[in-house]
Amino acid sequence: MAKEELMEFEGSVSEVLPDARFRVKLDNGHEMIAYTAGKMKKNRIKTIEGDRVTVEMSPYDLDKGRIIFRHKDERASSGPRPPQRGGGNMRRR
C-alpha cells in the first residue's frame, strides 16, 4: 500500500489505553483505536485524554489508525513553564 492512499482525520483522545494506544473519537462521530507515530515517540510528544489530534488510517481498516500530530492547546501555553530538571552545566560520568 502506498502512502498516498492513507486518509487523515481530526478528533480528540477520549481514553488512554495500555501499550501506548488511545481511543480516539473523530469529528464525524466514529471511534477508533490509534497508536502514536514513531516521530512522536522519538521527539517525546506526550498525548493525554482530551488532546486534539490528527489521525491517519488505511481505507481498508477503519477501526485502527496512527496519531501523527497533536494540536497545540491554547490553555496549556498560557501558564508558566515548569522548571527544568538537572544541574545545569554539571556533567554526568
Side-chain angles (χ1 to χ4, degrees):
M1 184 173 77
K3 256 190 166 175
E4 292 79 34
E5 296 179 31
L6 297 176
M7 302 181 302
E8 288 187 7
F9 295 101
E10 288 191 15
S12 63
V13 175
S14 59
E15 185 181 357
V16 178
L17 302 171
D19 264 353
R21 295 189 186 271
F22 305 91
R23 187 174 311 276
V24 177
K25 184 164 179 87
L26 301 178
D27 291 342
N28 60 11
H30 184 73
E31 279 202 26
M32 60 180 296
I33 303 292
Y35 65 93
T36 307
K39 285 199 173 196
M40 289 182 66
K41 286 181 187 176
K42 178 183 168 191
N43 293 313
R44 296 184 181 146
I45 297 173
K46 302 294 182 196
T47 307
I48 59 172
E49 191 173 324
D51 282 349
R52 296 281 306 158
V53 294
T54 300
V55 179
E56 70 179 12
M57 56 198 309
S58 166
Y60 302 111
D61 188 4
L62 301 176
D63 293 330
K64 297 178 188 166
R66 176 175 44 231
I67 297 174
I68 58 170
F69 188 78
R70 182 179 59 89
H71 297 277
K72 296 249 186 207
D73 193 9
E74 293 82 24
R75 59 189 155 96
S77 62
S78 63
R81 201 169 153 188
Q84 291 283 343
R85 290 176 55 175
N89 294 342
M90 295 181 65
R91 281 184 155 182
R92 287 192 177 172
R93 293 183 184 218

